Amino acid sequence: ILHFDLRATSFNTPEGVFRLFLDGSLGLLERIHQVLPNIEIDSGMGPTFKVRLAEKEMEKAASQVTSSVDKLNAVFKVLDRLLPKADAMSLDMKPIIFIDEANRLKILLQHNPQEGHAVLSSLFEWLVEKTKQQGRFHAVLGSSSSFFHLWVSRFMQQGQYKSYVIGDLGRKEAE
């Protein structure tokens, strides 16, 4: 599981989202390699895989562009190549990206609405492509806001996500 807790992370700029995904994805790749050490991926990720090399590749790709959305897309492009293909993993072995308090992504629209919207659109398009179309991982967006699913609909079409509103559960209900 790649867990992004947006309560505890500074990401209030599009550049912050790029950094969040750059740093977080390296941990995900390392965990995938620990679980599937012999899997071969386009990058040569196998017994000699080094997360530091993946980080350098992401940094290099991001340094060749200037806008935050292009930097984020550069990370996604490298990550796409490094993630195992859908047929390399069983359904219960697929990675999960969990963005906790995802309603805080709205902050990106406050500082520079145009750039923030571009970054959010890119993020949601990438999530849909990798989860629904390619089956490479699962994505969960958690929120304490019961209206978050309405906001998400601005970026994704209804058939591209499932919304579950749970509400406040008592201890017995949660178990």
PDB file of all heavy atoms in Angstrom, residues 80-96:
ATOM      1  N   ASP A  80       4.992   4.347 -14.557  1.00  0.00           N
ATOM      2  CA  ASP A  80       4.234   3.436 -15.413  1.00  0.00           C
ATOM      3  C   ASP A  80       5.131   2.330 -15.966  1.00  0.00           C
ATOM      4  O   ASP A  80       4.756   1.169 -16.034  1.00  0.00           O
ATOM      5  CB  ASP A  80       3.588   4.223 -16.558  1.00  0.00           C
ATOM      6  CG  ASP A  80       2.732   3.345 -17.443  1.00  0.00           C
ATOM      7  OD1 ASP A  80       2.023   2.470 -16.907  1.00  0.00           O
ATOM      8  OD2 ASP A  80       2.761   3.526 -18.671  1.00  0.00           O
ATOM      9  N   ARG A  81       6.330   2.689 -16.331  1.00  0.00           N
ATOM     10  CA  ARG A  81       7.272   1.717 -16.862  1.00  0.00           C
ATOM     11  C   ARG A  81       7.789   0.781 -15.776  1.00  0.00           C
ATOM     12  O   ARG A  81       8.104  -0.377 -16.027  1.00  0.00           O
ATOM     13  CB  ARG A  81       8.429   2.450 -17.541  1.00  0.00           C
ATOM     14  CG  ARG A  81       9.085   1.661 -18.628  1.00  0.00           C
ATOM     15  CD  ARG A  81      10.055   2.457 -19.469  1.00  0.00           C
ATOM     16  NE  ARG A  81      10.853   3.468 -18.822  1.00  0.00           N
ATOM     17  CZ  ARG A  81      11.857   3.216 -17.971  1.00  0.00           C
ATOM     18  NH1 ARG A  81      12.175   2.002 -17.665  1.00  0.00           N
ATOM     19  NH2 ARG A  81      12.546   4.214 -17.442  1.00  0.00           N
ATOM     20  N   LEU A  82       7.877   1.288 -14.549  1.00  0.00           N
ATOM     21  CA  LEU A  82       8.445   0.501 -13.457  1.00  0.00           C
ATOM     22  C   LEU A  82       7.429  -0.404 -12.756  1.00  0.00           C
ATOM     23  O   LEU A  82       7.819  -1.389 -12.134  1.00  0.00           O
ATOM     24  CB  LEU A  82       9.079   1.435 -12.420  1.00  0.00           C
ATOM     25  CG  LEU A  82      10.248   2.289 -12.916  1.00  0.00           C
ATOM     26  CD1 LEU A  82      10.707   3.231 -11.824  1.00  0.00           C
ATOM     27  CD2 LEU A  82      11.392   1.421 -13.393  1.00  0.00           C
ATOM     28  N   LEU A  83       6.154  -0.057 -12.829  1.00  0.00           N
ATOM     29  CA  LEU A  83       5.143  -0.887 -12.181  1.00  0.00           C
ATOM     30  C   LEU A  83       4.960  -2.184 -12.959  1.00  0.00           C
ATOM     31  O   LEU A  83       4.972  -2.183 -14.188  1.00  0.00           O
ATOM     32  CB  LEU A  83       3.800  -0.151 -12.115  1.00  0.00           C
ATOM     33  CG  LEU A  83       3.665   0.947 -11.083  1.00  0.00           C
ATOM     34  CD1 LEU A  83       2.366   1.703 -11.283  1.00  0.00           C
ATOM     35  CD2 LEU A  83       3.733   0.378  -9.675  1.00  0.00           C
ATOM     36  N   PRO A  84       4.764  -3.286 -12.250  1.00  0.00           N
ATOM     37  CA  PRO A  84       4.517  -4.550 -12.950  1.00  0.00           C
ATOM     38  C   PRO A  84       3.246  -4.459 -13.801  1.00  0.00           C
ATOM     39  O   PRO A  84       2.294  -3.768 -13.447  1.00  0.00           O
ATOM     40  CB  PRO A  84       4.322  -5.561 -11.813  1.00  0.00           C
ATOM     41  CG  PRO A  84       4.918  -4.921 -10.611  1.00  0.00           C
ATOM     42  CD  PRO A  84       4.788  -3.446 -10.802  1.00  0.00           C
ATOM     43  N   LYS A  85       3.241  -5.181 -14.905  1.00  0.00           N
ATOM     44  CA  LYS A  85       2.055  -5.243 -15.757  1.00  0.00           C
ATOM     45  C   LYS A  85       0.965  -6.016 -15.014  1.00  0.00           C
ATOM     46  O   LYS A  85       1.250  -6.805 -14.107  1.00  0.00           O
ATOM     47  CB  LYS A  85       2.373  -5.932 -17.096  1.00  0.00           C
ATOM     48  CG  LYS A  85       3.500  -5.261 -17.862  1.00  0.00           C
ATOM     49  CD  LYS A  85       3.122  -3.866 -18.287  1.00  0.00           C
ATOM     50  CE  LYS A  85       4.232  -3.227 -19.110  1.00  0.00           C
ATOM     51  NZ  LYS A  85       4.529  -1.873 -18.756  1.00  0.00           N
ATOM     52  N   ALA A  86      -0.281  -5.810 -15.406  1.00  0.00           N
ATOM     53  CA  ALA A  86      -1.420  -6.415 -14.721  1.00  0.00           C
ATOM     54  C   ALA A  86      -1.325  -7.935 -14.662  1.00  0.00           C
ATOM     55  O   ALA A  86      -1.678  -8.543 -13.650  1.00  0.00           O
ATOM     56  CB  ALA A  86      -2.716  -5.989 -15.389  1.00  0.00           C
ATOM     57  N   ASP A  87      -0.842  -8.562 -15.708  1.00  0.00           N
ATOM     58  CA  ASP A  87      -0.794 -10.022 -15.735  1.00  0.00           C
ATOM     59  C   ASP A  87       0.346 -10.604 -14.884  1.00  0.00           C
ATOM     60  O   ASP A  87       0.439 -11.811 -14.704  1.00  0.00           O
ATOM     61  CB  ASP A  87      -0.707 -10.537 -17.169  1.00  0.00           C
ATOM     62  CG  ASP A  87       0.521 -10.014 -17.920  1.00  0.00           C
ATOM     63  OD1 ASP A  87       1.303  -9.227 -17.354  1.00  0.00           O
ATOM     64  OD2 ASP A  87       0.673 -10.396 -19.097  1.00  0.00           O
ATOM     65  N   ALA A  88       1.203  -9.760 -14.336  1.00  0.00           N
ATOM     66  CA  ALA A  88       2.309 -10.225 -13.499  1.00  0.00           C
ATOM     67  C   ALA A  88       1.888 -10.416 -12.047  1.00  0.00           C
ATOM     68  O   ALA A  88       2.636 -10.967 -11.251  1.00  0.00           O
ATOM     69  CB  ALA A  88       3.476  -9.247 -13.564  1.00  0.00           C
ATOM     70  N   MET A  89       0.684  -9.965 -11.705  1.00  0.00           N
ATOM     71  CA  MET A  89       0.227 -10.028 -10.315  1.00  0.00           C
ATOM     72  C   MET A  89      -1.188 -10.574 -10.250  1.00  0.00           C
ATOM     73  O   MET A  89      -2.002 -10.300 -11.122  1.00  0.00           O
ATOM     74  CB  MET A  89       0.232  -8.631  -9.691  1.00  0.00           C
ATOM     75  CG  MET A  89       1.565  -7.966  -9.632  1.00  0.00           C
ATOM     76  SD  MET A  89       1.423  -6.265  -9.079  1.00  0.00           S
ATOM     77  CE  MET A  89       0.668  -5.508 -10.503  1.00  0.00           C
ATOM     78  N   SER A  90      -1.479 -11.285  -9.170  1.00  0.00           N
ATOM     79  CA  SER A  90      -2.852 -11.701  -8.940  1.00  0.00           C
ATOM     80  C   SER A  90      -3.621 -10.511  -8.378  1.00  0.00           C
ATOM     81  O   SER A  90      -3.030  -9.515  -7.940  1.00  0.00           O
ATOM     82  CB  SER A  90      -2.894 -12.875  -7.961  1.00  0.00           C
ATOM     83  OG  SER A  90      -2.357 -12.478  -6.709  1.00  0.00           O
ATOM     84  N   LEU A  91      -4.943 -10.613  -8.379  1.00  0.00           N
ATOM     85  CA  LEU A  91      -5.788  -9.507  -7.923  1.00  0.00           C
ATOM     86  C   LEU A  91      -5.445  -9.078  -6.500  1.00  0.00           C
ATOM     87  O   LEU A  91      -5.400  -7.890  -6.194  1.00  0.00           O
ATOM     88  CB  LEU A  91      -7.270  -9.911  -8.023  1.00  0.00           C
ATOM     89  CG  LEU A  91      -8.281  -8.817  -7.766  1.00  0.00           C
ATOM     90  CD1 LEU A  91      -8.127  -7.700  -8.782  1.00  0.00           C
ATOM     91  CD2 LEU A  91      -9.691  -9.379  -7.806  1.00  0.00           C
ATOM     92  N   ASP A  92      -5.151 -10.038  -5.628  1.00  0.00           N
ATOM     93  CA  ASP A  92      -4.854  -9.690  -4.235  1.00  0.00           C
ATOM     94  C   ASP A  92      -3.421  -9.210  -4.021  1.00  0.00           C
ATOM     95  O   ASP A  92      -3.055  -8.795  -2.944  1.00  0.00           O
ATOM     96  CB  ASP A  92      -5.164 -10.863  -3.306  1.00  0.00           C
ATOM     97  CG  ASP A  92      -4.357 -12.110  -3.619  1.00  0.00           C
ATOM     98  OD1 ASP A  92      -3.898 -12.255  -4.769  1.00  0.00           O
ATOM     99  OD2 ASP A  92      -4.183 -12.945  -2.711  1.00  0.00           O
ATOM    100  N   MET A  93      -2.595  -9.248  -5.063  1.00  0.00           N
ATOM    101  CA  MET A  93      -1.215  -8.777  -4.955  1.00  0.00           C
ATOM    102  C   MET A  93      -1.007  -7.396  -5.577  1.00  0.00           C
ATOM    103  O   MET A  93       0.086  -6.860  -5.524  1.00  0.00           O
ATOM    104  CB  MET A  93      -0.268  -9.763  -5.648  1.00  0.00           C
ATOM    105  CG  MET A  93      -0.152 -11.106  -4.963  1.00  0.00           C
ATOM    106  SD  MET A  93       0.681 -10.990  -3.387  1.00  0.00           S
ATOM    107  CE  MET A  93       2.346 -10.650  -3.898  1.00  0.00           C
ATOM    108  N   LYS A  94      -2.044  -6.851  -6.191  1.00  0.00           N
ATOM    109  CA  LYS A  94      -1.879  -5.556  -6.851  1.00  0.00           C
ATOM    110  C   LYS A  94      -1.647  -4.462  -5.817  1.00  0.00           C
ATOM    111  O   LYS A  94      -2.268  -4.448  -4.755  1.00  0.00           O
ATOM    112  CB  LYS A  94      -3.115  -5.227  -7.685  1.00  0.00           C
ATOM    113  CG  LYS A  94      -3.201  -6.095  -8.919  1.00  0.00           C
ATOM    114  CD  LYS A  94      -4.286  -5.645  -9.830  1.00  0.00           C
ATOM    115  CE  LYS A  94      -4.304  -6.574 -11.036  1.00  0.00           C
ATOM    116  NZ  LYS A  94      -5.337  -6.244 -11.955  1.00  0.00           N
ATOM    117  N   PRO A  95      -0.766  -3.526  -6.147  1.00  0.00           N
ATOM    118  CA  PRO A  95      -0.529  -2.409  -5.223  1.00  0.00           C
ATOM    119  C   PRO A  95      -1.804  -1.576  -5.038  1.00  0.00           C
ATOM    120  O   PRO A  95      -2.682  -1.558  -5.903  1.00  0.00           O
ATOM    121  CB  PRO A  95       0.539  -1.584  -5.936  1.00  0.00           C
ATOM    122  CG  PRO A  95       1.123  -2.467  -6.969  1.00  0.00           C
ATOM    123  CD  PRO A  95       0.066  -3.452  -7.331  1.00  0.00           C
ATOM    124  N   ILE A  96      -1.865  -0.891  -3.922  1.00  0.00           N
ATOM    125  CA  ILE A  96      -2.982   0.001  -3.620  1.00  0.00           C
ATOM    126  C   ILE A  96      -2.411   1.373  -3.327  1.00  0.00           C
ATOM    127  O   ILE A  96      -1.497   1.512  -2.517  1.00  0.00           O
ATOM    128  CB  ILE A  96      -3.780  -0.486  -2.394  1.00  0.00           C
ATOM    129  CG1 ILE A  96      -4.368  -1.871  -2.662  1.00  0.00           C
ATOM    130  CG2 ILE A  96      -4.880   0.523  -2.036  1.00  0.00           C
ATOM    131  CD1 ILE A  96      -4.957  -2.534  -1.430  1.00  0.00           C
TER     132      ILE A  96
END
